[in-house]
Amino acid sequence: MTDGNAVQVQQQEERDQLISQLIEVNAGRAAYYRMLGELFFRELTQEQVEHLAGMDFAGMDGGDELIAQGYDDMRRYLRHVNSGTRQALACDYAHTFLAAGNYETFAATPFESVFTSQLGLMMQEARDEVYKMYCEQGIQPQADLHVPEDHVSFEFEFLATVIERTNAALLSGDFARAQALAETVSDFHRLHQLNWIDDLCDAVLDVAETRFYRGVAKVTRGFVHMETEVIADELEALQDLADKQAA
């Protein structure tokens, strides 16, 4: 094998390794977004409570102190699951996210419009903006759910889906498309995550009565902010792949 061929082989191996690493990281990110989406969308079922209680959260924090604190809160609350745990969590979900029995504040109503509009109302400009981005990607929540599109769970689902499409583009070798999809994730993260997630999590910490949902708020805040660096690193890597493919 000539020196030139050896260099090409090495470059190909390095590229393949990078693609595999990106795909693995992205798969984990998409799963994480969907997990958070489930926690925010509705009260937990008994099956979900039992599943979470049996999880080993060790190593899931990605080295982030706030996420580690959040998982510790969740683990401690679920350490002694009994017949009343699901009902207690359901009541706290209703109190925290649906303002049931809460007459002092709007609670942690999980819609972007509530936290970004001047009057704290639903179905405001943020809803229209995220709906437009959903449509551009051909992604829409189930219409029969009758829930505004800027619900945090829908936003997390959108990001998970676009990240999975990024992986599909990587697998097919279409690095330019992968880069474009990653830029969509970056734009959405900047415009519709960083702008209100801290306020949502602050509200959960203020209103939630169980350590479990306060833990969820910490995990969510930590993960969304961790994504800033992950997204930047991926965009840099995809730019390099796209440039080399175009050369």
Side-chain angles (χ1 to χ4, degrees), residues 149-162:
E149 288 81 358
D150 61 337
H151 191 290
V152 68
S153 295
F154 293 158
E155 293 192 355
F156 287 158
E157 176 66 23
F158 173 77
L159 287 165
T161 301
V162 178

Side-chain angles (χ1 to χ4, degrees), residues 55-85:
M55 285 182 64
D56 180 5
F57 295 117
M60 290 180 60
D61 56 44
D64 184 90
E65 183 178 353
L66 184 59
I67 296 178
Q69 291 175 9
Y71 277 137
D72 187 58
D73 285 339
M74 294 166 66
R75 178 185 62 80
R76 286 176 179 272
Y77 182 83
L78 295 171
R79 185 168 49 188
H80 303 295
V81 171
N82 56 49
S83 59
T85 301

Side-chain angles (χ1 to χ4, degrees), residues 111-183:
F111 296 91
E112 184 180 344
S113 290
V114 171
F115 287 90
T116 59
S117 63
Q118 187 173 2
L119 298 178
L121 301 175
M122 294 171 59
M123 297 292 288
Q124 301 302 301
E125 184 177 354
R127 177 267 173 191
D128 297 338
E129 291 173 352
V130 300
Y131 181 70
K132 179 181 179 182
M133 293 191 75
Y134 295 169
C135 290
E136 288 172 352
Q137 296 298 323
I139 300 170
Q140 293 186 33
Q142 290 179 235
D144 58 358
L145 293 175
H146 303 295
V147 178
E149 288 81 358
D150 61 337
H151 191 290
V152 68
S153 295
F154 293 158
E155 293 192 355
F156 287 158
E157 176 66 23
F158 173 77
L159 287 165
T161 301
V162 178
I163 289 169
E164 289 173 342
R165 291 181 179 181
T166 304
N167 272 359
L170 283 168
L171 285 169
S172 68
D174 190 344
F175 304 137
R177 173 161 171 74
Q179 181 184 9
L181 290 165
E183 287 172 349

